Amino acid sequence: MPKVLGENELSRLFRAVTNLKHKAIVFAAYSAGLRVSEVVNLKREDVDSDRMQLFIRCSKSKKDRYVTLSPILLDVLRAYIVKSNRRPFKYLFEGEQPGIRKEVSSHCLRHSFATHLLEKGIDVIYIKDILMLS
């Protein structure tokens, strides 16, 4: 069974997040039902405040779709953009620049982990077992 937060728990979570960028990320994930990959790939141009929609590119099924943009999320996103020290340029939630030129995702860390274990001589069956548990 999936874990589900009650409304009181969600309220406490939203109040506990004080960083405006992090609050916008959490609100986007919750209010639009987005996956992590969908949140991090949001571009400024994907926010359509006239039609109150978010454009989601290449979701898990590799298809584009529109989801509803809630008025609260729109307010949170506007506050984040206006008050941000470093306004987003292309992606809505741009990170600090670590000097990595590759297009990567959070799943890239999983692949890197497995590859580095393999390069260190760890048995591929053991690596597979570790990845199946996580």
Side-chain angles (χ1 to χ4, degrees), residues 26-103:
V26 172
F27 264 91
Y30 173 72
S31 70
L34 302 180
R35 296 174 179 89
V36 171
S37 61
E38 294 168 340
V39 172
V40 300
N41 286 314
L42 278 174
K43 296 180 180 177
R44 287 187 67 166
E45 65 200 43
D46 296 338
V47 179
D48 186 343
S49 59
D50 293 331
R51 296 177 63 208
M52 293 304 286
Q53 292 182 329
L54 288 174
F55 180 60
I56 309 302
R57 301 167 192 275
C58 295
S59 63
K60 189 174 182 178
S61 61
K62 305 293 185 229
K63 294 181 181 177
D64 298 340
R65 73 181 197 279
Y66 285 95
V67 297
T68 301
L69 172 62
S70 77
I72 295 172
L73 176 56
L74 181 58
D75 289 344
V76 170
L77 291 175
R78 284 180 172 158
Y80 155 63
I81 290 171
V82 169
K83 295 177 182 175
S84 180
N85 293 338
R86 228 179 109 231
R87 290 191 177 171
F89 175 69
K90 180 178 178 182
Y91 289 94
L92 197 54
F93 303 113
E94 293 176 345
E96 297 299 317
Q97 300 299 323
I100 298 172
R101 302 255 183 244
K102 296 177 184 175
E103 288 277 332

Side-chain angles (χ1 to χ4, degrees), residues 110-129:
R110 182 177 170 89
H111 289 282
S112 299
F113 168 74
T115 301
H116 296 153
L117 287 177
L118 190 61
E119 289 173 348
K120 290 178 180 171
I122 305 298
D123 183 29
V124 70
I125 302 298
Y126 180 71
I127 297 170
K128 183 185 121 205
D129 289 343

